[in-house]
Amino acid sequence: SAVISQKPSRDICQRGTSLTIQCQVDSQVTMMFWYRQQPGQSLTLIATANQGSEATYESGFVIDKFPISRPNLTFSTLTVSNMSPEDSSIYLCSVQALARPQTQYFGPGTRLLVL
Amino acid sequence: AQRVTQPEKLLSVFKGAPVELKCNYSYSGSPELFWYVQYSRQRLQLLLRHISRESIKGFTADLNKGETSFHLKKPFAQEEDSAMYYCALNIPYGNNRLAFGKGNQVVVIP
């Protein structure tokens, strides 16, 4: 299975600021995804991070608020821009490995609190 | 629209008792279903895939296309089964994304 790390693991931020979350995988993967898990809720897909092109966003999520980069096959970043308390959530990176394309592996998550 | 429903949020069972977590899905194509588990302070991890027809940690799940269900079962619950369980549907077109249910919190009482 792929080993995924995320930085930071947690942060407390002031409203109006931005935070960039990093996701690093130990092997080349086909797909990388960013999810949000709000308190007491299930996981919601924000976007698919595409290598070398713009991310594919789900309904309700826009690039201006959640810009995503994926410069290579093992790394991606998600920025939460102009944060408000409603952005307080756990942000998860997940990947699909080349060897098992229908299985997703998840990072440990980044716990964000916006004051 | 693709949707996964897990009706019970919290399930408490005694150790040794059977446990069943219900999952129903809505999808017009041929479904690919998964159960993911998240133990306390650990990351979300795959428990089992319907396509593998496997038993993991004593858990099994059978896809019933007629009832559009993929219920997770274990005949004898153990304390270490206490966790959050998510049913997920893979949507293959485009980006192979997963649609998750709301999850079941399972508490096994010693």
Side-chain angles (χ1 to χ4, degrees), chain A residues 77-93:
Chain A
T77 66
L78 168 75
T79 300
V80 186
S81 303
N82 188 24
M83 286 183 285
S84 66
E86 292 72 34
D87 294 320
S88 298
S89 187
I90 298 173
Y91 292 86
L92 293 147
C93 169

Side-chain angles (χ1 to χ4, degrees), chain B residues 37-54:
Chain B
V37 60
Q38 189 167 27
Y39 302 102
S40 179
R41 292 190 170 79
Q42 294 187 28
R43 69 183 65 189
L44 193 65
Q45 58 186 283
L46 178 68
L47 180 62
L48 54 79
R49 314 161 59 194
H50 95 268
I51 205 168
S52 302
R53 295 184 154 275
E54 57 204 345

Side-chain angles (χ1 to χ4, degrees), chain A residues 4 16 18 24 28 31 34 58 60 63-64 66 71 76 81 86 102 108-110:
Chain A
I4 306 163
S18 298
Q24 179 75 53
Q28 290 190 347
M31 312 291 284
W34 287 98
E58 297 298 309
I63 187 171
D64 289 344
F66 297 102
S76 177
S81 303
E86 292 72 34
Q102 275 74 46
T110 296

